[in-house]
Amino acid sequence: MLAVAVLVSGGGTNLQALLDAQARSALGNARIALVVSNRRDAYALTRASGAGVETAVLERGRGETPEAYGERLIALLKEHGIALTVLAGFMQILAPNVIDAYRDRIVNVHPSLIPSFCGAGFYGLRVHRAALERGVKVTGATVHLVNEVPDGGRILAQKAVEVREGDTPEALQRRVMEEAEWVLLPSTVAWAVRRLEEGLPL
Ligand code: GAR
């Protein structure tokens, strides 16, 4: 089994999709070994505990540099023997030391078709608001490797979702989650774990 960590900040519906996939043996040899939240009030923590997964709260201390936070995160991931880390609604940019320590071993799910509506400032509902303001007819979700450029790492998978007349940011977010994120993230994690087990690069 390959130990996977999931980093979260909020509701954790993508974490839930991963937990559900694991429960129906659709995550291959992945074992969700740790859920880390940068917010102690994240509902995702309740979901993790409910599934019997170990949790950790890692809040950025007052005046703590991103690198110092990164060192604490690296230590935690090492302690748990984590082979693959999944950012599932983790609303904090990782410092270069973390990316360096886990090069091509961190994936993120983003709620648009990258390179549209991505990068610094594009997260959560803001992404869907921007898509509606621009008037695109198709949006979607992307799973990509994490590098030093926000949402700039190599794309692993994408799925398109139709925008409908009268969509609100909330309605569009829900459809992108249901039709794209909750499907794409587990299948890509399963794919990544298979590759890593075979000694192949992601
Ligand atoms: C998801 O839509 C995820 O793609 C997005 O935040 C939401 C988290 O929901 N992530 C980003 O915008 C990162 N740039 P969840 O906590 O229910 O999984």
Side-chain angles (χ1 to χ4, degrees), residues 7-17 42-44 47 87-92 108-112 117-119 121-128 140-142 144 151 173-174 176-177 181-182 185:
L7 272 52
V8 296
S9 300
T13 64
N14 279 289
L15 167 67
Q16 191 67 56
Y43 184 67
R47 295 180 188 271
L87 310 187
F90 186 66
M91 303 303 186
Q92 193 169 295
N108 178 47
V109 60
H110 182 77
S112 75
F117 314 115
C118 66
F122 285 100
Y123 57 86
L125 270 180
R126 289 167 184 245
V127 177
H128 304 291
T142 302
H144 63 91
D151 297 325
Q173 178 182 54
R174 179 77 195 180
V176 168
M177 284 175 157
E181 297 187 55
W182 300 342
L185 187 59

Side-chain angles (χ1 to χ4, degrees), residues 90-167:
F90 186 66
M91 303 303 186
Q92 193 169 295
I93 289 173
L94 293 176
N97 54 350
V98 180
I99 291 157
D100 237 15
Y102 287 95
R103 178 77 52 195
D104 292 349
R105 295 291 181 275
I106 308 175
V107 301
N108 178 47
V109 60
H110 182 77
S112 75
L113 293 174
I114 291 175
S116 290
F117 314 115
C118 66
F122 285 100
Y123 57 86
L125 270 180
R126 289 167 184 245
V127 177
H128 304 291
R129 212 170 282 131
L132 290 175
E133 273 166 16
R134 188 63 185 82
V136 294
K137 301 301 176 201
V138 174
T139 183
T142 302
V143 179
H144 63 91
L145 290 172
V146 173
N147 68 8
E148 286 80 357
V149 181
D151 297 325
R154 188 151 43 77
I155 292 170
L156 299 178
Q158 288 188 305
K159 194 163 190 291
V161 174
E162 169 196 39
V163 178
R164 295 195 195 143
E165 190 93 21
D167 262 345

